[in-house]
Amino acid sequence: KDESDRGMSLILAAWLDDALDQYLRTRMVNDVKVVESLFGPDRPLGTFSAKINATYGFAYISMDVFRDLNTIREIRNLFAHDRGTISFATQSIADKCKTFHVLRKHNATEKYPELRVTGGRDEFLVTSLMYTAYFIIRSEEWQHQEFRATEEEKMLIHNVIPRLMKSLQPDKEKP
């Protein structure tokens, strides 16, 4: 509660970025060299945005979660790059906080007004922490998977080779 709006937004977004990073890593093969080549600065999954896109692109999250994560990222960027005095009361930020799908659903169904989440700061705080906790829990539930080709996959690959070789041969002119 003592943290500034700018500080809180940067810290919570960093925690969420870390949780999303871990979530994606647990869904990859257990090959440290390959996984590390995807993360880090100047790597395909080196940014918060890229991790959000990958998580949605691989169908690990819904469109609503995708939009909420991007809204958190956008708010984080506003606080990180605006040198002026801004807060969760700043209209553009307050408007973004009102778009969190998870809170709109919660607030619409919560019958006790005191349990509804309102105000930009609380909306950002609750949404960021909820998604951070979600990705941490999901990461702990999942174990690295080892790829094992099924018999069907092996047969498919085996059957494709002759077709491929045939298609690569030059066409013989017909007499």
Side-chain angles (χ1 to χ4, degrees):
K1 290 205 173 230
D2 294 335
E3 189 63 59
S4 69
D5 286 356
R6 185 183 309 269
M8 187 188 81
S9 70
L10 297 176
I11 291 166
L12 290 176
W15 288 354
L16 178 54
D17 187 355
D18 289 346
L20 191 56
D21 183 287
Q22 187 59 37
Y23 176 81
L24 285 169
R25 288 171 186 265
T26 61
R27 276 151 179 72
M28 296 181 171
V29 295
N30 196 11
D31 185 327
V32 173
K33 187 175 179 181
V34 170
V35 172
E36 288 303 318
S37 74
L38 296 171
F39 293 89
D42 300 321
R43 298 292 183 194
L45 297 174
T47 65
F48 192 22
S49 178
K51 292 171 199 164
I52 293 168
N53 290 338
T55 306
Y56 177 66
F58 289 118
Y60 294 144
I61 57 173
S62 69
M63 175 61 83
D64 285 349
V65 175
F66 174 72
R67 288 180 180 145
D68 282 354
L69 296 179
N70 271 308
T71 300
I72 291 167
R73 181 187 56 77
E74 291 167 4
I75 293 168
R76 186 253 349 235
N77 287 347
L78 287 170
F79 278 110
H81 301 294
D82 189 313
R83 294 175 190 243
T85 303
I86 62 172
S87 70
F88 285 106
T90 301
Q91 195 62 54
S92 61
I93 295 173
D95 289 345
K96 285 184 180 296
C97 289
K98 289 184 187 347
T99 67
F100 289 128
H101 297 301
V102 68
L103 290 184
R104 287 183 19 221
K105 289 177 185 175
H106 166 77
N107 287 341
T109 59
E110 180 54 60
K111 65 181 184 176
Y112 299 106
E114 65 274 11
L115 295 179
R116 293 185 187 132
V117 181
T118 59
R121 184 178 172 97
D122 286 346
E123 290 165 338
F124 186 87
L125 173 76
V126 169
T127 302
S128 299
L129 288 176
M130 191 278 309
Y131 283 125
T132 299
Y134 170 80
F135 289 117
I136 289 170
I137 290 166
R138 294 302 305 267
S139 297
E140 291 171 353
E141 293 172 348
W142 193 268
Q143 304 237 341
H144 289 285
Q145 300 296 308
E146 295 298 326
F147 178 79
R148 291 193 178 104
T150 64
E151 288 305 314
E152 181 182 359
E153 288 169 311
K154 291 175 187 175
M155 289 303 297
L156 181 65
I157 292 167
H158 178 73
N159 291 333
V160 167
I161 293 172
R163 288 182 181 159
L164 182 60
M165 294 308 294
K166 185 176 180 181
S167 71
L168 293 175
Q169 293 178 357
D171 288 337
K172 296 188 180 184
E173 293 183 28
K174 294 182 181 178

